[in-house]
Structures are given as structure tokens and as C-alpha cells.
């Protein structure tokens, strides 16, 4: 299974990045659940439980169904129609591990790992501890913040259009202010060198994406998926830089309040859909059950602000995901 590892350096500390990532996620979830028809475009929460890990500390396990009619490019809508994606996600501070499968196509799998490290410029050779076979099939792509949103490839989907509309900005002239009142930026080519010389804040986000898609058009579909993940990865973090002042000003208390609202919407909309609201369109998911541990909040995973695991080998991280990378 071929793997592409994306690496992107950002002007944040790891703690700022954690809060910023959660802020972005909650903004996205609120937008999805505010849609008029969750059966046409949205996601259905099935399971949410708390967990812990010896390296990463407290975490959250989430199982959900994505109904992606609206947010995927026209290519995927043409191939799969009313596309149902099942996601199994385990999130810890600074590290996530996700698997995505398609209903009706058991051989299809997308496996994604994401890790963020402090004061790192993206040159750790095997940060995820992959075996030799995965290393041989891996391609590394460095994504440069200075490129900006207009230099990324278009997916052709509404997600791409909305993201570009929200933060169409020029990194070479963009600045933001952190909590101390210090200005960060601008972010023209080579900005990381200047930050290092000044002793400024930066981190690197590593994302490993592996796609299993057998069949006659498997190679073509995989390339489309990799392009889509690259665009989403780039745009998601560009948006974080665009909102840098808000990211740096965010607090755990503010994020907790936002998450309580989002979780309430998740439960209400998911329960209504699973009760039969979507039967005419997606009968395959009507027999699912909703299970939510109210203590399993993403905000709780960043409250302790535990030290990062650093550059240790992450090969032993998830026994439960061993079968996903075969």
C-alpha cells in the first residue's frame, strides 16, 4: 500500500497548535451540523468514548459515518453516488490515527496518521516508526506555508470553494499577534530560517496517508484521493495561520464551551437520523446505535498540557490499527 507523508512547518508552539486544531475542528463541525439536511450532507455520530495511552496521555475514540454528497469533488459523486464513509478515529494531544472505509467496498481503506512536533522543521526520517516495506513505498511531500491557498490544486468540490472564499490571503504579507502581543510573520519563502534565527515559535505537522484501492481504476482513484488529502491538509493549516490571532487567544474554557454546544448538536442530529429520518436515502445505516460517553471530550485531552512524546518511535502506538495497514 503506497504512502504519502506530508510535512508542513507552522508558526505555532505545539500547545497553540493543539488549541488551534480543536478550534478549527469545532468550527467545521458547527458548520456541518447547522446544515438544513443532515441526511444529504453531514456526519452521523455512532460512538464516542474516552481512552488513554502510555505515550500520548488522555484521548478520545470516535466512530462516525460521513455522508459526503456535498463536500466531495464531482469525480467521487459520479463514481459512488450517495457516498457513505465509515471513520474510526483515535485522537490524542498532538497525535491522531484514523481509518476510513466505504460501505459496500470492503477492500477500500484510507489510513491516516498525524503527528505534530515542537521546534521541528520536518526532517525526521521515520517519525511514525513504519516498517521497511512501508518506508520503501513512501513518498515525502513538503508543503510550504508561503505558497498560499491560491497555489494549491483545486479539488472541484464545494469544500475547496468555501475554504478559498474564507481565507483568500497572501502569506508573504500576512501577520498575526500572539498572546504576548508579539507579531508573527509575514510568511514569505524561507520564513522558517528567520524564525529560527530569532528564536521564535514553530512546529512541524507530519501526516501519513495510505490508500488501499484495488481494481481496474484503483491507481486513478488513489491519485485523486491523495490530491484531495493534500488540498485539505494544506488548506486546513493555512486557515489556522489566517486565524492566528484567534488561535493564540483561544483558551481551554472557551473551547470547552464550544465543544459542549457541538456535542449536543451531534447527539441530537445523529439520534434523529438513526431513528429513521434518513431511511429513504441511506437504509444501510438505519440499524446503527448511538453510544456516547459524556466524559469523552476533546477539550479534556488538552487540559493537562502534558509534555510531548518528542521524537520517539511511534511504531507500537496502536495495536487496534495493526490490521488497517496490512
Amino acid at each position: 500500500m503506497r504512502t504519502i507523508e506530508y510535512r508542513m512547518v507552522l508558526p505555532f508552539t505545539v500547545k497553540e497548535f493543539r488549541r488551534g486544531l480543536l478550534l478549527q475542528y469545532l468550527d467545521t463541525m458547527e458548520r456541518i451540523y447547522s446544515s438544513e439536511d443532515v441526511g444529504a450532507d453531514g456526519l452521523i455520530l455512532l460512538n464516542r468514548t474516552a481512552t488513554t495511552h502510555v505515550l500520548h496521555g488522555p484521548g478520545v475514540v470516535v466512530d462516525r459515518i460521513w455522508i459526503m454528497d456535498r463536500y466531495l469533488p464531482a469525480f467521487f459523486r459520479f463514481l459512488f453516488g450517495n457516498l457513505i464513509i465509515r471513520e474510526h478515529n483515535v485522537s490524542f494531544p498532538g497525535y491522531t490515527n484514523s481509518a476510513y472505509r466505504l460501505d459496500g467496498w470492503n477492500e477500500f481503506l484510507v489510513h491516516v496518521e498525524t503527528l505534530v512536533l515542537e521546534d521541528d522543521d520536518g526532517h525526521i526520517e521515520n517519525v511514525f516508526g513504519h516498517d521497511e516495506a512501508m518506508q520503501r513505498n513512501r513518498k515525502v511531500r513538503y508543503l510550504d506555508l508561503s505558497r498560499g491557498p491560491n497555489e494549491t490544486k483545486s479539488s472541484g468540490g464545494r469544500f475547496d470553494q468555501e475554504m478559498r472564499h474564507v481565507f483568500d490571503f497572501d502569506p508573504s504579507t500576512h501577520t498575526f499577534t500572539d498572546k504576548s502581543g508579539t507579531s508573527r510573520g509575514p510568511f514569505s519563502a524561507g520564513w522558517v530560517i528567520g524564525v529560527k534565527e530569532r528564536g521564535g515559535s514553530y512546529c512541524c505537522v507530519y501526516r501519513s496517508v495510505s490508500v488501499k484501492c484495488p481494481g481496474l481504476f484503483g491507481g486513478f482513484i488513489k491519485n485523486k484521493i491523495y490530491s484531495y488529502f493534500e488540498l485539505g491538509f494544506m488548506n486546513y493549516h493555512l486557515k489556522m495561520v489566517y486565524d492566528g490571532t484567534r488561535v493564540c487567544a483561544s483558551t481551554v474554557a472557551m473551547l470547552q464551551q464550544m465543544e459542549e454546544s457541538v456535542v449536543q448538536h451531534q447527539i441530537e442530529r445523529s439520534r434523529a437520523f438513526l431513528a429513521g429520518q434518513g431511511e429513504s436515502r441511506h437504509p444501510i445505516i438505519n440499524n446503527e446505535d448511538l453510544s456516547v460517553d459524556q466524559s469523552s471530550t476533546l477539550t479534556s485531552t488538552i487540559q493537562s498540557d502534558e509534555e510531548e512524546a518528542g521524537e520517539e518511535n511511534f511504531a507500537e502506538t496502536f495495536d487496534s490499527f495493526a490490521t488497517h495497514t496490512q
Side-chain angles (χ1 to χ4, degrees), residues 9 27 43 69 79 108 133 150 163-164 171 201 278-279 282 313:
V9 182
D27 282 344
L43 64 100
D69 299 8
L79 277 183
F108 178 89
N150 291 326
M163 290 292 282
R164 289 174 190 273
S201 301
E279 185 172 357
H282 300 286
N313 188 308

Side-chain angles (χ1 to χ4, degrees), residues 90-109:
V90 186
S91 297
F92 295 98
Y95 180 82
T96 62
N97 196 322
S98 304
Y100 303 86
R101 297 185 181 274
L102 285 180
D103 269 353
W105 192 359
N106 295 332
E107 294 80 12
F108 178 89
L109 169 68

Side-chain angles (χ1 to χ4, degrees), residues 58-248:
V60 177
V61 180
V62 174
D63 292 289
R64 52 195 165 196
I65 296 172
W66 291 80
I67 302 174
M68 298 296 293
D69 299 8
R70 174 183 177 188
Y71 287 95
L72 281 180
F75 168 78
F76 291 98
R77 297 196 300 270
F78 173 77
L79 277 183
F80 302 109
N82 295 330
L83 189 63
I84 300 175
I85 300 175
R86 292 182 181 268
E87 175 189 3
H88 179 68
N89 175 277
V90 186
S91 297
F92 295 98
Y95 180 82
T96 62
N97 196 322
S98 304
Y100 303 86
R101 297 185 181 274
L102 285 180
D103 269 353
W105 192 359
N106 295 332
E107 294 80 12
F108 178 89
L109 169 68
V110 178
H111 179 244
V112 181
E113 288 182 278
T114 305
L115 174 70
V116 57
L117 296 178
E118 188 98 34
D119 296 335
D120 183 85
D121 60 2
H123 290 89
I124 298 178
E125 177 57 29
N126 188 12
V127 72
F128 293 107
H130 291 158
D131 59 28
E132 292 185 7
M134 289 193 70
Q135 284 290 94
R136 286 195 302 269
N137 291 316
R138 183 197 65 169
K139 179 180 180 180
V140 175
R141 288 185 57 84
Y142 292 92
L143 303 182
D144 188 354
L145 167 61
S146 66
R147 287 169 55 191
N150 291 326
E151 295 300 320
T152 56
K153 298 177 182 178
S154 173
S155 69
R158 183 166 178 177
F159 169 82
D160 181 26
Q161 297 169 13
E162 290 181 349
M163 290 292 282
R164 289 174 190 273
H165 175 71
V166 168
F167 69 101
D168 189 7
F169 77 111
D170 181 2
S172 67
T173 61
H174 181 72
T175 62
F176 64 85
T177 304
D178 62 23
K179 275 187 175 180
S180 68
T182 302
S183 179
R184 300 186 192 178
F187 306 101
S188 54
W191 68 271
V192 180
I193 297 174
V195 170
K196 287 182 178 180
E197 292 175 348
R198 296 190 301 271
S201 301
Y202 66 99
C203 64
C204 182
V205 186
Y206 294 79
R207 172 164 289 182
S208 171
V209 180
S210 303
V211 181
K212 180 181 179 183
C213 183
L216 181 61
F217 298 103
F220 179 71
I221 294 173
K222 281 189 285 189
N223 288 335
K224 286 287 186 180
I225 292 172
Y226 285 124
S227 295
Y228 185 71
F229 267 96
E230 178 175 336
L231 174 71
F233 182 75
M234 183 78 172
N235 280 354
Y236 208 75
H237 295 102
L238 283 171
K239 179 70 164 53
M240 193 181 296
V241 175
Y242 178 75
D243 287 338
T245 299
R246 182 172 174 239
V247 167
C248 291

